[in-house]
Amino acid sequence: MCAAAARLCGDCAVPAEAAVNEDDQSYTPGLRVLSACIIPDRSKPVTFAMLDGNGEVTDFLRLGHLLDRNDAKKEKDCEALKNFILRCRPLAVAVDASCREAMSLSDTIKACVTQLEQEHQMAAITTEFVDPDLARLYEASKRADVHHWEYNELLRHAISLGRRLQDPLAEFCYLASDDDEFLCLKLHIFQNDVPREDLLWALQVELINRVNEVGIDINKAFKHTHWSPQLQFVGGLGPRKGTDVIKKSKGSRIENRSQLITELKMGPKVFLNCAGFIRINTGDFEDNTSEYIDALDNSRIHPETYDWARKMAVDALEDEADVGDEVDTSAAVEEILDGPERLKDLDLDAFAVELERQGFGNRQTTLYDIRDELFGMYKERRLPYRGLTPEEKFRLLTGETKDTLVEGKLVTGVVASITRRRPTRDMLDQANPERTEESNTWKCPFCLQDTFTDLSEVWIHFDDNSCVGQATGVRVRLDNGLTGFIGLKFLSDSHVRTPEDRVKVGMVLHCRVMRVNYERFSVDLTCRSSDLANKESQFSGPRDTYYDETAEEADKNKERKAVKPKSLYVDRVIVHPSFHNISFKQAEKKLEQLDQGDAIIRPSSKGSDHLTISWKVDEGVYQHIDILERNKTYQFTLGKSLWIENEEFEDLDEILARHIQPIASFARDILSYKYFSKEFGNKQAIDPVLTAEKRQQKSRIPYLFSTSREFPGKFILSYMPRSKGIHEFVTVTPNGIRYRSKVHSSLEALLAYFKKHYKDPVPGSAAAAAAAHIPRHQIQMPSGMVAAQQAAAAAAAAAWPQA
């Protein structure tokens, strides 16, 4: 809470260098501000108030057509505004950030200022948005009725805006004169949960810290009523003594701090408490007064330590003064203020030790503060002024925050228009119109208009600039006045050819926020059904630290279990001992209890014109074969023609006899072979076995068969010609065992082929692809090489384990 208050009133005003660069002496010093008050109604006039450097109203202006869309009336008001600016010469413009129309007003003011800077060589004028929360409270306050009774509420609003831009601290202190009004400020979303007394105390402490940090020009407080409330926050005064000081001043001027006692009748203790925070700006009257002027009265240095400051100034100048010359301490202070760099050579630690020896205590910190103040009296210590961030500007102009317009929020919007991207000239030159076969017309590839009877009409359509371009999305207007955009791919889960197929202008759409663009005041939306349902919780938004995600996941699991899964299989009316109306998992569970080669026929998930036959290849390995039905009389009965790939069968018995039984028999031959391994194609387990056998007899080539779990119905042939194992697939088919694209009638025939051709490149490998470039029969070998090759083949045959 205090941090929010410090941020609001702890910033300094618009940079003061704008006020320094001023040559015309007819204007009061300080930051002159032109403030603009606006109403969210373009038919109402815009009210301008001109404030001098002290925050007093010098002039005002009302323009009724500055926001009009009528160019003639708007141009006339722009000329009036430029003449007003030229005459009053403001250094900054404060724009009321209370509605979206303020953006248009700010752009208009900036355009007028730019023209004046070019035509009349004026200095740059800053235009800033200002938070209107203080101005809203002031315009209806009792203080405004007293001090500005002759002005209406809009002009009072504009006055408060300008004063806040000049000095936020003074305007907050002005509001704090009334406790009820002060607590109306919305500084934090939970401030209503804090007890009233605690909240008020915390805010007042923050103002006390800031006022005493900055200091207050007491003569300015006497002269201007909106400055005087700061006195109640000066240390040692408070509301009652601050008000008493104003009454005793009677509009007179205080020229030195000693007059706080002599003229304002302050007691000694009150004076000691508050003197260091009260500034006497001696530069305003040093040329027209008979009183003694002490430059240190215009600093944060306390009167009790003036002697130490003078001592520091004298010591810093003693090297330049002649020995024996009497040094004027006041002149020394003024000279040091003109060149404070010489203070850096002082040994303040030694000075602090001497003061402690004299009984003043440890004053080391005080001495360093004095030297720092002499480097710049009443130097600005507040944070540099910064304009509103895009998020703050968005919040003020739209009333939406990160909490109210968060990503994932559901909103409704009205379709305003279809957005399109016009094709460039290069795109038109490279366009390729297509003929629509159904209507025999030509279609524009950009706007998709397909009513052209001849190709030449399409080119005319391009040349006369009639093509509106390709649709990119839909522009919608939200309830809060913001503009939303729905990209073409976010209109629907299915493909959208053109937005007109889905939406029309004026239609109300339910959307979800995807992203908020604070700088452009726009929102990216989606209205896809999947995004609106948010089943995957991708739009859940941020969660607090204590959100129980484990409990949420447990609830979701309960909901998933409660929902009965939809069956993918259609029950069939088929009478056969091997047919069962069961699912994929149920079939595998049933096959666990059956023998190798047994089969179950069941419904297929592909539809009512398909069946699936599942047979047991090995323990835990089951192959599922798809059966296509044709010539069906009814949906649930069996088709008269059954197909497995390209082979036709008359009934289920023929499939079992001609397809399942042969492949099961070939599978049994492999499973019962003496070199069969039960490692189920595990290369990491098979390679060590082959390596061990190879080490025992290096001249032999060990080999093993194993079942493939990854591809049921296939087996893996693993062998080791040298030091590296090779693994190839072997497939059982109704006609035999397929190996290297050749179908062998028996396992013995496969082994004979394998032992003869194991050195050939594996089909599909890089070596096989390279060998395919030169036909084998075209390679001519010398007769001696042929004889050597035949001898090597005979030796290799002897190296294989006997089957």
Side-chain angles (χ1 to χ4, degrees):
M1 193 77 67
C2 293
R7 176 179 54 81
L8 290 171
C9 62
D11 293 347
C12 65
V14 170
E17 50 265 25
V20 175
N21 188 18
E22 183 60 50
D23 299 328
D24 195 341
Q25 300 299 321
S26 61
Y27 297 101
T28 59
L31 181 67
R32 299 189 302 276
V33 174
L34 174 64
S35 57
C37 174
I38 187 174
I39 297 178
D41 186 355
R42 291 181 177 269
S43 63
K44 300 295 182 180
V46 179
T47 302
F48 292 88
M50 185 64 209
L51 307 180
D52 63 13
N54 296 318
E56 300 293 346
V57 182
T58 60
D59 204 348
F60 62 88
L61 177 68
R62 290 189 183 91
L63 299 176
H65 304 287
L66 200 59
L67 298 177
D68 276 4
R69 292 181 174 86
N70 188 316
D71 293 337
K73 293 181 179 180
K74 182 177 181 179
E75 185 64 28
K76 184 178 179 180
D77 277 4
C78 287
E79 287 298 324
L81 178 60
K82 287 191 289 185
N83 293 333
F84 187 79
I85 294 175
L86 190 62
R87 175 165 52 86
C88 298
R89 296 297 179 100
L91 300 174
V93 179
V95 179
D96 182 9
S98 59
C99 58
R100 287 291 304 277
E101 285 74 11
M103 293 288 293
S104 176
L105 176 61
S106 176
D107 294 339
T108 302
I109 294 174
K110 288 179 180 178
C112 293
V113 168
T114 302
Q115 293 179 14
L116 289 175
E117 292 173 357
Q118 296 173 353
E119 295 173 3
H120 299 276
Q121 304 300 318
M122 289 179 58
I125 300 176
T126 304
T127 302
E128 295 287 343
F129 285 104
V130 179
D131 191 338
D133 56 352
L134 281 179
R136 290 194 187 103
L137 296 174
Y138 177 73
E139 69 180 27
S141 67
K142 295 180 181 179
R143 291 172 290 108
D145 293 336
V146 175
H147 299 145
H148 295 116
W149 57 269
E150 71 275 24
Y151 298 145
N152 62 18
E153 291 185 353
L154 294 180
L155 193 52
R156 296 175 186 178
H157 188 102
I159 293 170
S160 181
L161 286 175
R163 288 177 176 174
R164 177 167 183 172
L165 188 63
Q166 285 180 325
D167 194 328
L169 179 58
E171 195 64 12
F172 273 90
C173 291
Y174 194 25
L175 176 69
S177 301
D178 190 320
D179 293 347
D180 292 332
E181 290 182 7
F182 196 33
L183 293 177
C184 289
L185 283 177
K186 298 300 181 184
L187 303 176
H188 197 277
I189 57 175
F190 296 129
Q191 72 179 57
N192 292 333
D193 298 329
V194 180
R196 185 178 187 276
E197 293 75 14
D198 295 344
L199 176 60
L200 187 62
W201 177 84
L203 295 175
Q204 288 175 346
V205 168
E206 190 60 43
L207 288 179
I208 290 171
N209 292 335
R210 297 285 80 78
V211 169
N212 291 300
E213 178 186 40
V214 175
I216 177 172
D217 186 345
I218 193 169
N219 288 317
K220 195 171 185 179
F222 291 161
K223 190 174 181 180
H224 305 287
T225 55
H226 64 281
W227 273 81
S228 59
Q230 295 183 72
L231 281 173
Q232 64 180 313
F233 300 106
V234 172
L237 291 182
R240 184 177 59 84
K241 293 185 179 70
T243 304
D244 188 59
V245 167
I246 298 295
K247 290 180 180 179
K248 290 180 179 179
S249 68
K250 298 179 181 179
S252 61
R253 184 174 67 189
I254 299 298
E255 298 180 353
N256 53 60
R257 281 175 172 167
S258 60
Q259 289 184 350
L260 296 174
I261 298 176
T262 59
E263 299 294 334
L264 301 181
K265 310 301 180 183
M266 277 189 185
K269 292 185 178 180
V270 175
F271 174 78
L272 291 176
N273 287 332
C274 71
F277 309 121
I278 294 178
R279 177 184 183 185
I280 310 296
N281 194 350
T282 57
D284 293 343
F285 51 81
E286 59 184 355
D287 296 332
N288 57 355
T289 182
S290 58
E291 294 288 337
Y292 169 72
I293 301 298
D294 194 333
L296 296 177
D297 286 341
N298 192 23
S299 71
R300 293 183 177 92
I301 302 172
H302 197 278
E304 284 184 324
T305 60
Y306 278 3
D307 291 339
W308 300 346
R310 295 182 182 120
K311 170 68 174 169
M312 292 167 62
V314 171
D315 290 347
L317 297 173
E318 65 180 359
D319 293 338
E320 301 177 7
D322 295 332
V323 178
D325 290 351
E326 293 185 2
V327 179
D328 184 356
T329 57
S330 298
V333 169
E334 292 181 358
E335 187 173 350
I336 282 296
L337 291 177
D338 293 334
E341 292 78 12
R342 285 168 284 190
L343 293 171
K344 294 180 180 179
D345 299 330
L346 295 178
D347 188 355
L348 297 184
D349 295 334
F351 192 6
V353 172
E354 177 62 22
L355 291 177
E356 188 172 6
R357 188 186 65 79
Q358 295 177 12
F360 290 99
N362 186 359
R363 296 291 183 169
Q364 185 180 31
T365 303
T366 303
L367 293 177
Y368 278 97
D369 288 342
I370 291 174
R371 186 176 69 174
D372 183 62
E373 188 66 18
L374 291 175
F375 268 90
M377 295 196 299
Y378 272 104
K379 180 172 59 178
E380 185 63 72
R381 294 180 178 177
R382 288 177 287 181
L383 296 174
Y385 175 83
R386 65 167 179 82
L388 296 176
T389 63
E391 290 81 2
E392 292 171 340
K393 191 184 299 182
F394 184 87
R395 173 182 62 82
L396 293 173
L397 298 181
T398 65
E400 298 284 359
T401 66
K402 291 183 177 181
D403 297 322
T404 60
L405 191 63
V406 66
E407 293 182 6
K409 181 180 179 180
L410 289 172
V411 295
T412 57
V414 179
V415 178
S417 62
I418 307 296
T419 59
R420 299 180 180 276
R421 181 172 58 247
R422 282 185 173 273
T424 62
R425 176 48 58 184
D426 293 339
M427 295 171 64
L428 293 175
D429 293 340
Q430 299 176 7
N432 185 22
E434 299 177 353
R435 181 188 289 275
T436 305
E437 296 181 359
E438 297 178 358
S439 58
N440 198 25
T441 56
W442 292 88
K443 181 174 67 175
C444 173
F446 302 109
C447 65
L448 304 182
Q449 183 179 344
D450 56 357
T451 58
F452 305 104
T453 58
D454 190 75
L455 181 60
S456 60
E457 295 181 6
V458 182
W459 296 111
I460 295 173
H461 173 68
F462 292 159
D463 294 338
D464 61 8
N465 204 25
S466 300
C467 182
V468 295
Q470 184 178 7
T472 58
V474 176
R475 190 79 62 188
V476 299
R477 178 72 63 181
L478 303 183
D479 295 338
N480 55 14
L482 287 174
T483 300
F485 176 74
I486 307 174
L488 198 61
K489 64 179 181 180
F490 295 108
L491 274 176
S492 175
D493 288 315
S494 58
H495 175 69
V496 178
R497 174 176 168 270
T498 175
E500 286 86 348
D501 296 341
R502 294 282 178 174
V503 299
K504 294 181 180 179
V505 175
M507 179 185 293
V508 177
L509 297 179
H510 292 273
C511 313
R512 192 180 288 276
V513 177
M514 296 177 59
R515 187 175 69 92
V516 181
N517 191 324
Y518 295 105
E519 295 182 355
R520 299 180 61 183
F521 288 81
S522 64
V523 183
D524 292 339
L525 305 169
T526 175
C527 60
R528 295 188 300 199
S529 300
S530 58
D531 293 335
L532 295 178
N534 194 26
K535 292 182 178 179
E536 300 299 327
S537 302
Q538 67 269 34
F539 294 106
S540 296
R543 293 169 174 170
D544 62 53
T545 309
Y546 304 101
Y547 188 85
D548 194 340
E549 296 186 4
T550 305
E552 182 194 27
E553 188 63 28
D555 292 340
K556 287 183 178 180
N557 291 333
K558 288 181 181 179
E559 292 177 0
R560 294 190 193 104
K561 292 178 180 178
V563 177
K564 199 171 184 180
K566 185 179 179 181
S567 177
L568 300 176
Y569 307 95
V570 180
D571 289 347
R572 305 292 300 276
V573 182
I574 298 175
V575 180
H576 191 277
S578 297
F579 179 81
H580 302 274
N581 275 310
I582 56 178
S583 65
F584 163 83
K585 292 291 184 183
Q586 292 171 331
E588 289 192 343
K589 191 171 183 180
K590 194 174 185 66
L591 286 171
E592 290 179 3
Q593 312 300 327
L594 301 180
D595 297 331
Q596 187 276 336
D598 288 345
I600 291 177
I601 306 172
R602 59 182 178 84
S604 172
S605 60
K606 293 184 177 181
S608 59
D609 57 348
H610 285 263
L611 290 174
T612 299
I613 185 167
S614 303
W615 70 283
K616 187 173 183 178
V617 181
D618 196 356
E619 292 297 330
V621 181
Y622 313 101
Q623 185 182 17
H624 306 276
I625 302 173
D626 179 60
I627 302 173
L628 174 63
E629 302 176 65
R630 293 178 180 174
N631 302 326
K632 292 171 64 69
T633 306
Y634 300 103
Q635 181 180 3
F636 302 107
T637 58
L638 186 65
K640 296 180 180 179
S641 176
L642 306 177
W643 292 77
I644 297 179
E645 294 181 350
N646 296 323
E647 189 171 1
E648 184 180 8
F649 302 87
E650 292 183 357
D651 52 28
L652 297 177
D653 289 330
E654 186 180 1
I655 291 178
L656 292 173
R658 287 182 46 212
H659 192 92
I660 298 300
Q661 292 178 5
I663 61 176
S665 175
F666 289 123
R668 276 192 295 273
D669 292 342
I670 297 175
L671 292 172
S672 60
Y673 188 59
K674 64 180 179 178
Y675 293 121
F676 177 80
S677 171
K678 294 185 177 296
E679 295 297 337
F680 292 107
N682 188 346
K683 299 177 183 179
Q684 289 76 14
I686 293 176
D687 283 346
V689 176
L690 296 176
T691 303
E693 293 186 12
K694 186 72 174 178
R695 287 175 180 172
Q696 291 178 1
Q697 297 184 6
K698 294 184 179 180
S699 60
R700 299 179 62 185
I701 301 176
Y703 66 95
L704 291 171
F705 285 97
S706 60
T707 307
S708 173
R709 278 190 181 276
E710 186 178 3
F711 302 102
K714 292 181 181 291
F715 295 85
I716 298 177
L717 174 59
S718 305
Y719 58 98
M720 185 174 289
R722 292 197 177 103
S723 59
K724 184 178 180 182
I726 300 175
H727 308 273
E728 297 185 57
F729 282 113
V730 174
T731 307
V732 289
T733 70
N735 300 321
I737 306 174
R738 186 169 63 244
Y739 170 65
R740 292 194 179 183
S741 303
K742 294 182 180 293
V743 178
H744 305 276
S745 59
S746 65
L747 180 60
E748 291 76 11
L750 181 148
L751 291 173
Y753 177 85
F754 164 63
K755 292 177 181 180
K756 185 177 181 181
H757 297 278
Y758 75 96
K759 285 187 177 181
D760 294 349
V762 179
S765 65
H773 287 83
I774 303 176
R776 190 177 184 88
H777 66 276
Q778 295 181 6
I779 300 177
Q780 301 294 329
M781 293 187 296
S783 58
M785 186 177 293
V786 173
Q789 195 176 56
Q790 290 175 350
W800 290 100
Q802 295 299 316

